[in-house]
Amino acid sequence: MADVFSTNYMMGVLESLEKPSSFLLDRFFPFVQTETSEEIHFDVIDKTRRLAPFVSPVVAGKVQQQLGHTTKTFKPAYVKPKTPFDPSRPLKRAAGENIGGNLSPMQRIQMAMVQTIADHRDQIFRRLEVMAGEALRTGKLTIAGEDYPTVELDFGRHANNSVTLTTTARWGEDGVSPLADVETWAMGVLQRSGAKPTDVIMDVDAWKLFSADATVKERLDTRRVTNAVMQMGGPADVGGTYMGSIDGYNLFVYADWYIDPADGQEKPVLPAHTVLLGGSRIEGVRAFGAIRDEEAGYQAMPIFVKSWVEKDPSVRYVLSQSAPLVVPTRINHTFRATVR
């Protein structure tokens, strides 16, 4: 029988598991970048609208600077979920096993190993989803943890790409048009990034205010909702639900939560009354630094899994390691508004 706790076997299990669906990550950060060093190098592109200058056909061409982009370097924090295996675990009926037990102890421990690897992977992807939400909202990432000094990574988003409505300008107030606001914000994103956003993502509270507007009710197109939700895999799986389109914008309601390890409290990925604008032109990247572990061969990979046994008392551990970062390459194609 194969050693189910060998690194090769466990990495094979990890690769065979279906990837968890994460709406913000999947939609705006589809590209994967791995680094052979502990630092991650990434580009932030600043697109300009240069006009080709007129010159005489008999004079030398006009020298221009290359299109602007900034290459930054960042050493990511580690995430290292580690789970101990109770030595009595394989002797007890597993969850879902027939009453009385029909599995051998090794089958039970193999099942527990697969469940543990899946749980670690889900934790890591949820961390990436939360990072994606923060980058889209703020244009920055604040990374803090145990024995890791708090670091703010600023991607350099334009100040006008973050808006907070106040007093009589808030959604739901008399005379305020949410659709007009979206169009104004989208034009600003177009001017600063070179591309008009195609997606509008709202939390539940923002959607209630948006969908209650009379103009929105009149013009909202929901004819493709059922088919689009089926293609996405179902709203319960991905956190984002397609609600229809209006004036060329895809409208989504997003609802997802996480347990903050800093205080143990459950928090929403998007705070109440949040509206995000963006699209594929964000060109977001999931970047991973090299795994600083000899058993991993110091390779560049998203997740590395290993296991070992402590002899006295006898306890087996399963550890997953990752050095993740999300990068919105075209940062000015992201936008956030707080509408209430």
Side-chain angles (χ1 to χ4, degrees), residues 134-151:
E134 183 181 356
L136 294 170
R137 284 190 300 108
T138 68
K140 305 175 183 179
L141 286 175
T142 300
I143 300 174
E146 185 178 351
D147 298 324
Y148 187 88
T150 300
V151 176

Side-chain angles (χ1 to χ4, degrees), residues 67-82:
L67 286 174
H69 74 273
T70 304
T71 299
K72 298 185 178 182
T73 300
F74 183 75
K75 184 182 293 186
Y78 249 45
V79 289
K80 300 174 66 173
K82 182 170 75 171

